[in-house]
Amino acid sequence: HRDIVPAIVPFVEKGWHVVAVDQRGRGNSEGDYLSMGWLEKDDVIQWTKRICEEDEEAQIVLYGESMGAATIMMAAGERESLPEQVAAVVEDCGYTSAYDMFKDQLKERFGLPAFPFLPAASAVGQMRLGFTFYDADAKAQLEKATLPILFIHGGADDYVPTSMGETLYEEYEGEKQLLIVEGAGHGQSADVDPDTYYETVFSFLENYVKE
C-alpha cells in the first residue's frame, strides 16, 4: 500500500476517502503467494462489501495499477457479487491476462517460448495453489463487466505493453475512455504528466460519482 501513496494524495486533496490495502502475499497481508489478480479479485469484492457495511450510501471507485489494475478489472467481471455502490473503475497499465504477461516477458527478457515453460508452471500452480495463469484473465472477465472504465497506459510501457491497454479498451463494450500518456513507462503515467492524468481521472469520475 505504500507504493500507491503518490496516487492517493490527489484523491485525498479532492476530499475522497481512500482505502489502500496490501494484496494477499504482499506487505502486511497474510499469505505466501499472489495469484496475479485471480484470487485477489475476490478480496476486492469483500473489501467493497465491508465498506458498504460501514456506509450504505458509499460511492465506490476501484483504482489500481499494474497487477492491481488487472485485479480490479477481474473484480468488475463479477458484477453480480459487487455491491451496487461500486460506480466506476480506473485501471492504470493492467495486463490482458497473466498468461499474456508472462509469455511476453519470457520472450522479451529471456528469448524463451511460452511452451513448455508456462504450461508446466501453470500445472504446478494448479496442484499447489488451486489456480493457473490461464485463470487470471482480465480480458475475459471484462466480457461480463458493465461498469464504466477509464483505461490508462503509458505510451512507452515495455513491461506491460501499451498494446495490452489498447486491446482492453477496444474490446470492452461498456462505457469507457482511454488515456495514453506518451513517453511514460510502466506505472509512470501520473509522474510524466500529472496534470493530464488527474484532470482525466476526475473528469471521468464526475460523470458517475455524485458530490
Side-chain angles (χ1 to χ4, degrees):
H1 67 277
R2 296 181 181 89
D3 295 339
I4 204 73
V5 167
I8 290 173
V9 172
F11 284 91
V12 174
E13 291 176 343
K14 282 279 190 179
W16 289 66
H17 298 283
V18 178
V19 178
V21 300
D22 287 328
Q23 298 206 68
R24 59 174 66 197
R26 303 294 302 277
N28 296 326
S29 285
E30 296 177 347
D32 297 320
Y33 301 95
L34 51 85
S35 65
M36 301 302 291
W38 180 243
L39 299 179
E40 290 84 353
K41 77 181 189 310
D42 301 323
D43 300 332
V44 168
I45 293 169
Q46 292 303 313
W47 294 325
T48 60
K49 289 180 177 179
R50 178 59 185 272
I51 291 171
C52 293
E53 289 174 1
E54 299 290 331
D55 181 5
E56 293 183 356
E57 297 183 358
Q59 300 176 81
I60 301 172
V61 171
L62 303 181
Y63 175 94
E65 295 180 4
S66 195
M67 192 183 93
T71 300
I72 59 173
M73 286 190 283
M74 292 182 216
E78 303 295 323
R79 194 65 185 108
E80 294 183 0
S81 298
L82 281 171
E84 62 182 10
Q85 289 91 333
V86 179
V89 173
V90 177
E91 75 86 19
D92 185 342
C93 62
Y95 41 80
T96 51
S97 71
Y99 183 87
D100 290 344
M101 175 70 178
F102 290 135
K103 178 181 178 180
D104 182 79
Q105 288 299 304
L106 277 173
K107 179 180 178 181
E108 291 297 321
R109 295 177 181 270
F110 305 106
L112 296 173
F115 184 85
F117 301 102
L118 289 186
S122 285
V124 173
Q126 179 64 54
M127 289 186 294
R128 297 186 60 181
L129 305 170
F131 70 90
T132 75
F133 299 148
Y134 305 98
D135 294 326
D137 192 330
K139 187 169 71 170
Q141 284 291 105
L142 287 183
E143 293 176 2
K144 303 182 291 181
T146 58
L147 287 166
I149 301 179
L150 172 58
F151 297 88
I152 303 174
H153 222 99
D157 193 337
D158 59 0
Y159 187 68
V160 176
T162 308
S163 59
M164 286 193 180
E166 294 169 336
T167 295
L168 289 166
Y169 169 77
E170 290 167 1
E171 296 192 10
Y172 186 55
E173 296 184 354
E175 295 181 61
K176 59 186 177 180
Q177 185 174 339
L178 174 66
L179 172 64
I180 301 294
V181 179
E182 296 303 327
H186 187 64
Q188 297 178 346
S189 293
D191 300 321
V192 170
D193 191 349
D195 291 340
T196 298
Y197 187 96
Y198 287 106
E199 285 174 6
T200 302
V201 168
F202 292 121
S203 175
F204 178 80
L205 293 179
E206 71 181 12
N207 295 313
Y208 309 104
V209 178
K210 302 176 183 178
E211 294 187 2

